[in-house]
Amino acid sequence: AGRTVAYHSDIPIGANLVRSSVIDKIEHKTVPSGPLAFVTIRHELQVNDAASPAVVEKQTFVLLSSAGGAAKRETSDDNSNTRHTKIVTPDDTMLFQYSALGFNSHKIHLDRGYARDVEGLPDLVVNGGLTTLLLTEFLRCDIGLVPKSLKARYSTPLYSGRPVALAAVSDGARWILSARDDAGIIAASVEVEAQ
């Protein structure tokens, strides 16, 4: 459902890191399509003996019941001032590599038969974290800005082999990044404070 990341200090190459992950909150809700739960997990990366973490990330997942319905799909945002755009097409290899880096073995990212036949999805699902990475690397490499903090919101899945339109616009104080699926639906939006 979403993610926030704050970069507090640099991590030197070769430094020993301690990663801690804890469940911050679990919230149960019932919606017209059935019960669901919001689970927020806090991750911290701390350089060996540092007094405070270098990176703090909070991920919020929505866990649906087997009867859960589709999420609300956003179809528009204010992109009249979009200054930067790029098309990226995540493929099976990219999904596999990203999943391997994060030790994510969820079959919706790796096993097309499982994604289609068991989960009822049209294809392999692009990881939300990969979408955030594509957007922040777009900001860093194509626009030349380094994120200081970010807040991401995921609203609909992206699928392997389908083009994703990345866009970035600044309102002067922050950058708003978005990823749209091949139908033009907003799949992810990221609010970034740049250094």
Side-chain angles (χ1 to χ4, degrees):
R3 158 186 327 245
T4 61
V5 182
Y7 305 97
H8 299 296
S9 61
D10 292 336
I11 298 174
I13 293 174
N16 290 325
L17 296 174
V18 175
R19 177 184 170 158
S20 63
S21 297
V22 297
I23 296 175
D24 259 6
K25 181 171 63 170
I26 300 175
E27 183 180 356
H28 297 275
K29 288 189 176 185
T30 301
V31 296
S33 60
L36 52 86
F38 291 88
V39 179
T40 302
I41 301 174
R42 177 185 173 99
H43 307 284
E44 293 184 354
L45 282 178
Q46 193 162 342
V47 177
N48 217 4
D49 295 324
S52 59
V55 178
V56 176
E57 175 183 28
K58 285 189 179 182
Q59 292 177 285
T60 302
F61 298 93
V62 178
L63 306 177
L64 304 171
S65 71
S66 59
K72 177 184 171 189
R73 293 171 56 115
E74 295 183 46
T75 56
S76 66
D77 65 358
D78 180 16
N79 64 354
S80 58
N81 295 323
T82 299
R83 291 184 286 206
H84 305 277
T85 60
K86 180 178 185 174
I87 302 294
V88 176
T89 304
D91 60 16
D92 297 9
T93 301
M94 185 186 291
L95 267 62
F96 173 80
Q97 290 171 332
Y98 183 82
S99 293
L101 284 171
F103 301 100
N104 183 344
S105 60
H106 196 309
K107 290 182 177 183
I108 62 171
H109 307 301
L110 304 168
D111 182 336
R112 182 170 277 110
Y114 176 87
R116 288 180 176 165
D117 301 337
V118 177
E119 296 286 346
L121 299 163
D123 210 329
L124 296 176
V125 176
V126 176
N127 313 57
L130 177 55
T131 304
T132 301
L133 179 63
L134 292 171
L135 285 165
T136 56
E137 283 298 282
F138 170 53
L139 182 69
R140 189 180 69 80
C141 297
D142 294 35
I143 302 171
L145 297 172
V146 177
K148 179 178 177 183
S149 66
L150 63 87
K151 182 177 182 179
R153 183 171 169 266
Y154 311 106
S155 50
T156 196
L158 295 169
Y159 298 102
S160 180
R162 299 182 186 187
V164 178
L166 308 179
V169 62
S170 175
D171 66 5
R174 63 194 169 138
W175 282 83
I176 305 298
L177 312 177
S178 63
R180 292 175 180 268
D181 69 9
D182 56 327
I185 305 297
I186 298 171
S189 57
V190 179
E191 184 178 314
V192 177
E193 181 184 348
Q195 293 183 9

